[in-house]
Amino acid sequence: MLAAPASLAAVVALLEARIDEARRCPHCSTEGAVIRGRSNGLRRYCCKGCGKTFNALTGTPLARLRKKELWAAFAEGLGEGDTVEGAAARCGVAGSTSFRWRHRFLAAVKAGSIKLNGIVEADETYVLTSRKGARKLDRKPRKRGGVAKKRGLSKEQVPIMVAADRSGTTFTHVLPDTTAATIRPHLETAIEPDALLVTDGAPFFPPCARALGISHEPLDRKAAGERRRGELHLNTVNSRHERLKTFLRGRRGVATKHLDSYLAWYHLAILPKLPTPRPVLASVAGLTPLGQPLSMANAN
């Protein structure tokens, strides 16, 4: 019963819960808006301050999307990792609608502040840059994904920072480069000061740890072949890398400009292992506490 797609009434009730008791206007933040009927299945409110009307979705990426009765089925497809064509067939909509809904839903999922504690493993992974969908290219197009022209790391690769603690809470972020100055603010916001940071032999982690005043234990894999030292290893974060790469590979190539959205999808539906439609819709509607969609605990 819990796994069954929600009805239209349940979806509308869930969306209406976004309006708090203060009835704060999204345009001017004035409280005390009054109800002025219904429109498109949702209550419409009128602000006493600016006089503008709004509903539960005003100002969100879900605004003006139709067919709300299909959103629960579409959320179920997100949870199961449907392709654009698969989600379109599940919901009985056009492929263009399915594509638009996917990116609107993922854009509505916002990352909150999370904190990794205890033993925290951090490592970067790389994906090939993609201009998928671009009308004009400054290079020859690659066929079937292709490979980088240069061996090793280059500007053709996009770095993704992945950090996870032993409870399974995971942090990811797309990086413009892999320098200490770029990585430091992300580690500062994601890791508790008393955590123990475990990394590989990358040269940019030690200065970050010193600047943040956190304990750091590097495992020198390249020089000494050290993969484990007592309780210290990188198995958790490496498993995150593998699941992320497998997820992206199944999408048949992800445009770099949409990579942030697909990371949100990875945290929302892939790490929790097939969530029911209701938690997905709750995250998309902004009802899940900030940080939960992008920091799923116990998702090993």
Side-chain angles (χ1 to χ4, degrees):
M1 182 173 63
L2 290 175
S7 63
L8 175 59
V11 172
V12 170
L14 186 146
L15 297 175
E16 293 283 12
R18 298 190 72 255
I19 301 296
D20 56 13
E21 295 181 358
R23 296 181 182 177
R24 186 175 291 102
C25 175
H27 304 291
C28 66
S29 299
T30 301
E31 297 181 356
V34 296
I35 300 176
R36 289 287 177 84
R38 303 182 72 88
S39 178
N40 296 320
L42 296 174
R43 287 197 189 109
R44 181 157 291 277
Y45 299 85
C46 181
C47 176
K48 296 179 180 179
C50 63
K52 295 181 179 180
T53 59
F54 63 92
N55 62 24
L57 299 180
T58 299
T60 72
L62 302 182
R64 301 184 184 279
L65 290 184
R66 310 302 181 189
K67 301 182 183 294
K68 297 179 182 63
E69 66 275 10
L70 301 177
W71 286 9
F74 190 79
E76 184 180 20
L78 277 180
E80 296 180 5
D82 279 0
T83 62
V84 170
E85 293 80 6
R90 180 192 294 266
C91 299
V93 297
S96 58
T97 300
S98 175
F99 182 82
R100 181 169 62 254
W101 282 9
R102 171 187 289 185
H103 287 284
R104 290 282 196 95
F105 273 49
L106 296 179
V109 179
K110 301 298 182 183
S113 58
I114 65 172
K115 287 295 184 180
L116 308 177
N117 52 61
I119 299 177
V120 178
E121 305 170 23
D123 195 8
E124 78 285 358
T125 188
Y126 297 84
V127 296
L128 196 62
T129 183
S130 173
R131 302 276 294 280
K132 185 177 180 179
R135 297 293 183 180
K136 295 182 180 180
L137 293 176
D138 53 4
R139 56 168 174 79
K140 291 184 179 181
R142 295 192 299 263
K143 293 184 179 180
R144 301 184 186 278
V147 295
K149 291 183 178 180
K150 298 180 180 179
R151 295 184 61 185
L153 303 181
S154 67
K155 292 184 178 180
E156 297 179 85
Q157 305 279 353
V158 180
I160 301 175
M161 170 61 63
V162 182
D165 62 21
R166 296 298 168 81
S167 72
T169 304
T170 305
F171 168 85
T172 63
H173 200 280
V174 180
L175 301 173
D177 54 61
T178 53
T179 62
T182 301
I183 294 174
R184 175 184 170 183
H186 300 300
L187 291 180
E188 185 175 13
T189 58
I191 300 179
E192 291 283 4
D194 59 348
L196 172 61
L197 180 64
V198 182
T199 66
D200 59 6
F204 41 79
F205 283 118
C208 290
R210 287 194 298 268
L212 297 177
I214 60 178
S215 302
H216 177 222
E217 289 289 344
L219 300 178
D220 195 348
R221 289 187 170 189
K222 293 183 179 179
E226 188 179 32
R227 294 184 174 274
R228 190 182 189 99
R229 188 192 309 147
E231 294 295 324
L232 307 182
H233 56 75
L234 296 174
N235 295 343
T236 305
V237 71
N238 286 338
S239 70
R240 294 294 186 267
H241 288 174
E242 177 58 29
R243 293 180 66 181
L244 176 60
K245 293 289 186 67
T246 302
F247 166 67
L248 295 179
R249 196 178 302 118
R251 310 280 79 76
R252 300 296 188 270
V254 174
T256 301
K257 64 180 179 181
H258 294 315
L259 194 53
D260 282 325
S261 293
Y262 280 83
L263 285 182
W265 189 1
Y266 170 70
H267 285 276
L268 178 66
I270 305 305
L271 285 182
K273 294 185 178 180
L274 302 181
T276 60
R278 295 174 189 273
V280 176
L281 275 177
S283 298
V284 170
L287 299 176
T288 303
L290 291 178
Q292 187 172 338
L294 297 186
S295 59
M296 293 296 183
N298 299 322
N300 291 313

